[in-house]
Amino acid sequence: MPQNRQILLDSRPQGEASASNFKLVTADTPALQDGQVLVRHHYLSLDPYMRGRMNDSKSYAASQPLGEVMIGGTVGEVVESRSPKFAVGDQVVGMGGWQEYSVVDAAQPGALRKVDTTHVPLSHYLGAVGMPGVTAWYGLVKIIAPKAGETVVVSAATGAVGSAYGALAKARGCRVVGIAGGPDKCRYAREELGFDACVDHREHGDLKSMSRALKEACPHGIDGHFENVGGYILDAVLLRANAFARVAVCGMIAGYDGQPLPLQNPALILINRIKIEGFIVSEHMEVWPEALKELGTLVATGKLRPRETIAQGIEAAPEAFLGLLKGRNFGKQLVKLV
Ligand SMILES: NC(=O)c1ccc[n+]([C@@H]2O[C@H](COP(=O)([O-])OP(=O)(O)OC[C@H]3O[C@@H](n4cnc5c(N)ncnc54)[C@H](OP(=O)(O)O)[C@@H]3O)[C@@H](O)[C@H]2O)c1
């Protein structure tokens, strides 16, 4: 059986997460029992939610235990099977964690899913045609529920979730406005992702400047907003929101290291009768088949061409993850393991 390099959570961050919170170890892969398969991971997904799991505080999900392999989505190939459900060579998506191989109990519902790479590259099953894509779909379709012609906004617009949101909203006839960090990301949002406008939060780094820029980008106000960041960006959106606007609260990455994110003017929620709804995509498994079908078609037909930032080798995962929390990724952050 092959050797397996793994990254464990070694300590909990105090404030900002750092590379010293993680530990690289090498373990033997155990011999398979009946019903199990051995998966060799090709890509590991790095996602902002992992920062929350590093804390030991009350949340919607249990904390990552210390001394165990970090949680994470993976795609790969079955290299050994003692299950009738999977054959050697099957390409699969699962939650293999920050390691090169995983042993999976194939009978466990949802533990491993076969994927078809004829029209969709394997890595996209961790991004646009995976959890982040479904996240964009849920917030847009089920919470914002836009009508054609409405203006919808998204922060972290060029990331895994934001880029899928752009394509889904364009397909529904919306004016789509992104908020992203830096001129390159904003140009990419407009020229490659098809956003109608994109506001650079590095250029507009305070409430007044951001709200002026949003006024220009959204001349008819904002009908729907998908929040990934929080802080003054959300305040600026609320200032420009139309009556009966809908806000899907997906993430608050500006506060994941413990920064407070006060809301400057909550009275706007009342004045404009705004609906604000938070959600966790894994609590809505019923929409995944429909969402994945639409997202798969958008990718297969070239209407969504997601960008990826790929770190090489499991040892690169901690730094790549810390970079994701600082906006150093450009598109979906992955680690290539093969
Ligand atoms: N609710 C759910 O079920 C669910 C599921 C998946 C993801 N999410 C959330 O969705 C959001 C996007 O996730 P993703 O996987 O697509 O990540 P991503 O957008 O690919 O990467 C994170 C991006 O956040 C932006 N960012 C980081 N710190 C920031 C700050 N202080 N201020 C402004 N922007 C900052 C950066 O983009 P810029 O350089 O453009 O600022 C960075 O590239 C996250 O908040 C995540 O937690 C929620």
Side-chain angles (χ1 to χ4, degrees):
M1 296 296 274
Q3 293 268 290
N4 185 17
R5 292 191 305 157
Q6 309 172 310
I7 302 230
L8 316 181
L9 181 65
D10 196 40
S11 61
R12 301 203 186 278
Q14 307 296 323
E16 238 179 70
S18 75
S20 68
N21 297 132
F22 303 98
K23 185 174 166 186
L24 177 67
V25 299
T26 303
D28 293 324
T29 41
L32 295 187
Q33 311 280 316
D34 274 346
Q36 291 184 328
V37 297
L38 179 66
V39 181
R40 184 175 191 195
H41 302 152
H42 288 212
Y43 292 94
L44 162 68
S45 176
L46 294 178
D47 297 88
Y49 76 83
M50 294 163 174
R51 176 64 189 83
R53 301 289 174 92
M54 293 171 77
N55 295 340
D56 194 10
S57 51
K58 184 176 176 291
S59 185
Y60 61 88
S63 304
Q64 161 78 43
L66 286 176
E68 290 190 11
V69 176
M70 276 291 293
I71 185 176
T74 45
V75 287
E77 186 188 352
V78 173
V79 290
E80 204 186 321
S81 177
R82 289 188 61 183
S83 159
K85 290 183 164 179
F86 292 93
V88 168
D90 282 349
Q91 294 188 296
V92 288
V93 58
M95 289 296 289
W98 293 27
Q99 55 184 340
E100 294 172 321
Y101 292 87
S102 59
V103 173
V104 183
D105 183 354
Q108 202 186 317
L112 218 52
R113 185 166 54 87
K114 279 187 221 179
V115 292
D116 179 358
T117 53
T118 318
H119 301 293
V120 174
L122 184 61
S123 60
H124 288 359
Y125 286 102
L126 295 175
V129 192
M131 185 277 283
V134 180
T135 302
W137 191 96
Y138 187 86
L140 180 73
V141 176
K142 295 294 181 187
I143 298 178
I144 297 173
K147 296 187 198 67
E150 286 192 324
T151 298
V152 297
V153 175
V154 59
S155 49
T158 63
V161 174
S163 52
Y165 176 92
L168 293 166
K170 283 313 293 178
R172 286 162 177 76
C174 298
R175 175 175 175 79
V176 191
V177 175
I179 299 170
D184 289 348
K185 286 189 179 179
C186 279
R187 193 176 316 110
Y188 167 73
R190 284 190 306 268
E191 294 175 9
E192 306 279 330
L193 293 175
F195 280 72
D196 296 285
C198 185
V199 176
D200 179 357
H201 69 77
R202 298 195 193 280
E203 185 186 343
H204 302 285
D206 59 60
L207 175 56
K208 209 169 152 192
S209 174
M210 175 56 71
S211 106
R212 257 203 316 263
L214 281 176
K215 188 176 182 186
E216 204 173 300
C218 310
H220 303 295
I222 295 170
D223 302 298
H225 174 60
F226 191 103
E227 185 55 83
N228 282 326
V229 172
Y232 80 97
I233 291 180
L234 178 56
D235 284 318
V237 167
L238 292 181
L239 273 175
R240 297 292 164 219
N242 291 330
F244 303 106
R246 291 83 64 198
V247 177
V249 181
C250 172
M252 292 264 169
I253 197 167
Y256 287 3
D257 280 328
Q259 306 89 325
L261 297 175
L263 204 56
Q264 298 295 318
N265 202 347
L268 290 168
I269 301 168
L270 172 63
I271 293 165
N272 288 318
R273 289 84 81 211
I274 298 172
K275 176 178 102 169
I276 301 188
E277 186 174 333
F279 71 101
I280 297 298
V281 70
S282 52
E283 293 175 344
H284 301 281
M285 296 312 292
E286 73 287 353
V287 308
W288 282 55
E290 184 186 354
L292 288 174
K293 193 168 171 217
E294 181 177 357
L295 291 155
T297 304
L298 285 172
V299 169
T301 55
K303 290 189 179 126
L304 171 55
R305 278 196 290 267
R307 185 168 170 148
E308 298 172 331
T309 294
I310 300 179
Q312 297 292 332
I314 193 70
E315 64 281 8
E319 282 304 335
F321 174 64
L322 298 171
L324 169 77
L325 298 174
K326 299 243 176 278
R328 285 199 283 271
N329 62 310
F330 197 152
K332 173 68 203 160
Q333 179 68 59
L334 298 166
V335 183
K336 194 167 187 331
L337 300 173
V338 171

